[in-house]
Amino acid sequence: MANVIIRRRMTEQGFYTPLQVTANLQAVASIRARFGAFIDQAARLTNVPEPIITAFIYIESAGNPNANTGAIGLMQIDHITASEGIFLEHRKGRLTADEKTALYRFMGSRLDCILKQKGRGQKLPCNNQTGVSVTRSELLNPEFNILVGAIYLATLIQEETVDGIMRLDKVIARYNRKYDFRPVGKNADEVIAESPAVTALYIKKFVGPLGLLETIVTV
């Protein structure tokens, strides 16, 4: 059911040409070959569909686990967003025992610090009064990077799903523009129109004709 929903074309504004589709599929296959086990684990733990996670990895970093543009790694997530993504899922009561177990393997007691926070970015002695508990070295670890990126996506998807329909255009825009960005368009074309150029292209690459989700989701 999730695959049927996410495969739905949301705009007729496209980005990729037919020739580029083949290259996209080859790149996605390479990402799956290298990181498929971590992607599948994150999908299972967070209930974010695997094609969405894979598409974000391709768009964000082209599968480079060492990508560092301020945001870090495969899913290009920074220390603040990673920490806040974990906090938000916990606050909503969605951070499962299995997710916590996976996070503890990397973070140890620093995860407890996030779980103690009463608000986003709360500065506590356990996070050295920074409000941030995730480290750069953790984000350079592909398994951890994919997991925390998927946890953050789970929050956005939950907030942007109405009547069982995922507004993936809004999820994409908010992932690109940060959590507090609130697109108000009634459809993907309106969200594209109100978004900065980079964000608008991002949406077209995902959910336009010949977009990633239209080409990599096969069932």
Side-chain angles (χ1 to χ4, degrees):
M1 175 60 73
N3 282 350
V4 173
I5 293 172
I6 66 174
R7 197 175 192 273
R8 180 173 58 91
R9 184 183 297 181
M10 301 187 74
T11 176
E12 293 303 317
Q13 300 183 57
F15 178 84
Y16 294 117
T17 68
L19 289 177
Q20 289 173 305
V21 169
T22 298
N24 289 346
L25 290 173
Q26 291 173 344
V28 166
S30 177
I31 289 169
R32 287 283 315 167
R34 294 183 66 191
F35 307 112
F38 300 151
I39 294 169
D40 291 342
Q41 172 185 255
R44 176 178 58 79
L45 290 173
T46 65
N47 289 319
V48 176
E50 172 272 320
I52 291 180
I53 298 173
T54 302
F56 268 94
I57 291 172
Y58 177 52
I59 292 290
E60 289 286 354
S61 67
N64 177 7
N66 298 312
N68 188 348
T69 61
I72 297 172
L74 289 169
M75 297 192 73
Q76 286 292 278
I77 189 166
D78 62 29
H79 310 70
I80 295 172
T81 303
S83 297
E84 291 187 353
I86 296 169
F87 166 78
L88 288 166
E89 279 293 273
H90 174 63
R91 185 183 68 178
K92 293 173 182 290
R94 288 172 43 92
L95 195 68
T96 67
D98 286 342
E99 286 174 310
K100 290 177 184 177
T101 297
L103 291 169
Y104 272 124
R105 285 197 292 113
F106 296 95
M107 299 182 65
S109 63
R110 283 177 294 104
L111 177 60
D112 292 321
C113 190
I114 293 178
L115 304 183
K116 291 176 183 176
Q117 290 178 308
K118 302 300 183 183
R120 287 169 56 199
Q122 183 183 11
K123 297 178 180 179
L124 298 170
C126 57
N127 59 39
N128 296 316
Q129 302 296 334
T130 65
V132 178
S133 296
V134 173
T135 68
R136 179 179 182 276
S137 62
E138 285 164 348
L139 290 175
L140 287 170
N141 182 300
E143 181 180 1
F144 181 82
N145 188 285
I146 293 170
L147 177 59
V148 295
I151 287 171
Y152 180 50
L153 277 173
T155 289
L156 298 180
I157 289 170
Q158 188 269 334
E159 292 183 0
E160 298 298 347
T161 297
V162 179
D163 296 328
I165 301 297
M166 184 194 309
R167 283 295 302 272
L168 192 56
D169 55 326
K170 291 187 175 183
V171 172
I172 294 161
R174 292 179 65 189
Y175 193 98
N176 183 246
R177 302 299 301 173
K178 300 296 187 183
Y179 177 78
D180 289 321
F181 181 66
R182 293 291 192 276
V184 297
K186 295 179 181 178
N187 53 52
D189 288 323
E190 291 185 6
V191 173
I192 288 169
E194 73 181 41
S195 296
V198 170
T199 306
L201 287 177
Y202 205 45
I203 296 169
K204 295 175 188 179
K205 289 177 179 180
F206 265 88
V207 295
L210 303 181
L212 285 172
L213 293 183
E214 187 170 283
T215 57
I216 70 176
V217 178
T218 57
V219 294

